[in-house]
Amino acid sequence: MILFFGTRTGSPKTRQLQGLSCPFCSQKGSLSATLLPHFVHLFWIPVYRLRPLRWVACDHCKKQYEGRELTPEMLEALEKVAD
Ligand SMILES: [Zn+2]
């Protein structure tokens, strides 16, 4: 028997960050936070949720922030995207 096992991502949730400015290009209101659900599946049925993938992107300079590049303000905004 073959086990179909792996990880998949769900549909992303994006929210525009109105009050924040991009640390790279200083453009205000150009950042958007994205949260992507990530889970382990068995026969394409989600069995275990992993930590969601998350990042912040700037529409103006196209820079993406993730992991340790995220500022406390970005992290706070990312928490709200999940609501
Ligand atoms: Zn920027």
Side-chain angles (χ1 to χ4, degrees):
M1 186 173 121
I2 300 162
L3 277 178
F4 288 97
F5 186 74
T7 62
R8 280 177 72 179
T9 51
S11 40
K13 282 184 190 172
T14 302
R15 181 177 286 195
Q16 209 72 27
L17 308 183
Q18 296 299 343
L20 294 182
S21 52
C22 175
F24 189 72
C25 68
S26 304
Q27 189 79 17
K28 200 163 186 167
S30 63
L31 294 174
S32 57
T34 303
L35 204 72
L36 191 60
H38 196 201
F39 48 83
V40 175
H41 73 84
L42 187 63
F43 292 101
W44 297 280
I45 299 161
V47 287
Y48 181 71
R49 283 177 75 90
L50 299 169
R51 221 165 59 151
L53 306 174
R54 53 192 202 167
W55 66 89
V56 169
C58 174
D59 292 334
H60 187 73
C61 66
K62 307 294 176 197
K63 185 164 170 57
Q64 287 202 1
Y65 301 89
E66 50 190 328
R68 293 170 66 182
E69 297 168 325
L70 295 166
T71 65
E73 291 82 12
M74 289 174 183
L75 288 169
E76 195 181 315
L78 279 163
E79 296 298 322
K80 291 177 192 158
V81 176
D83 296 342

